[in-house]
Amino acid sequence: MMDLFHSFLILSIISFFIFGILWICFARISMSYIEREMKKEGKELPKWDGMGARAVSYAMAIALPAGVLKNYILVDAEAAKRLSRSSDRKLAVCYLIAGLVGTVIVLIASFVKPDDLIL
């Protein structure tokens, strides 16, 4: 029988893969579409991508309510929200939720580790 720590470990691995797949899908489908549309409008695209932070920035701009990121400087939140399609919004929400769930699982697992495990 599996103990609680190993259950959380398996859950964290599964959630990591789900998050990774959603990250790639969001970046390749939604982010590329939004940036292509922004380019057509003559808007300047972000020139940075610190370890995939651009994808998280676009997802937050799309998924969060309009006024929350009003003065957001990392990406053009207004343009991202306006140019996003319904499928982009759903993918952004799933991507952010997967990241949050994965983080919570890892944090919980760190508190239930067995005493004989040295980390």
Side-chain angles (χ1 to χ4, degrees):
M1 184 163 157
M2 199 175 332
D3 63 350
L4 189 59
F5 175 75
H6 289 97
S7 300
F8 276 115
L9 185 64
I10 291 171
L11 275 176
S12 65
I13 291 169
I14 291 169
S15 69
F16 174 76
F17 281 114
I18 291 171
F19 175 70
I21 290 167
L22 286 169
W23 188 347
I24 292 168
C25 289
F26 181 78
R28 301 292 289 162
I29 296 168
S30 301
M31 199 170 80
S32 63
Y33 170 79
I34 291 167
E35 287 187 340
R36 193 170 44 249
E37 294 299 313
M38 287 173 75
K39 221 177 205 181
K40 287 179 187 176
E41 291 184 350
K43 295 198 179 280
E44 189 169 331
L45 303 177
K47 293 181 173 37
W48 59 272
D49 191 10
M51 294 181 60
R54 200 172 79 218
V56 175
S57 299
Y58 277 115
M60 288 186 347
I62 293 168
L64 296 176
V68 173
L69 298 176
K70 184 177 165 188
N71 297 321
Y72 199 55
I73 60 170
L74 300 178
V75 295
D76 187 345
E78 184 275 325
K81 191 168 221 45
R82 180 174 40 82
L83 296 171
S84 65
R85 305 166 290 195
S86 174
S87 60
D88 298 331
R89 287 186 287 278
K90 290 175 188 167
L91 196 53
V93 168
C94 290
Y95 167 59
L96 292 174
I97 289 173
L100 179 65
V101 167
T103 303
V104 168
I105 290 171
V106 168
L107 287 174
I108 292 171
S110 69
F111 287 108
V112 297
K113 69 181 180 204
D115 293 333
D116 59 345
L117 186 67
I118 300 171
L119 290 177

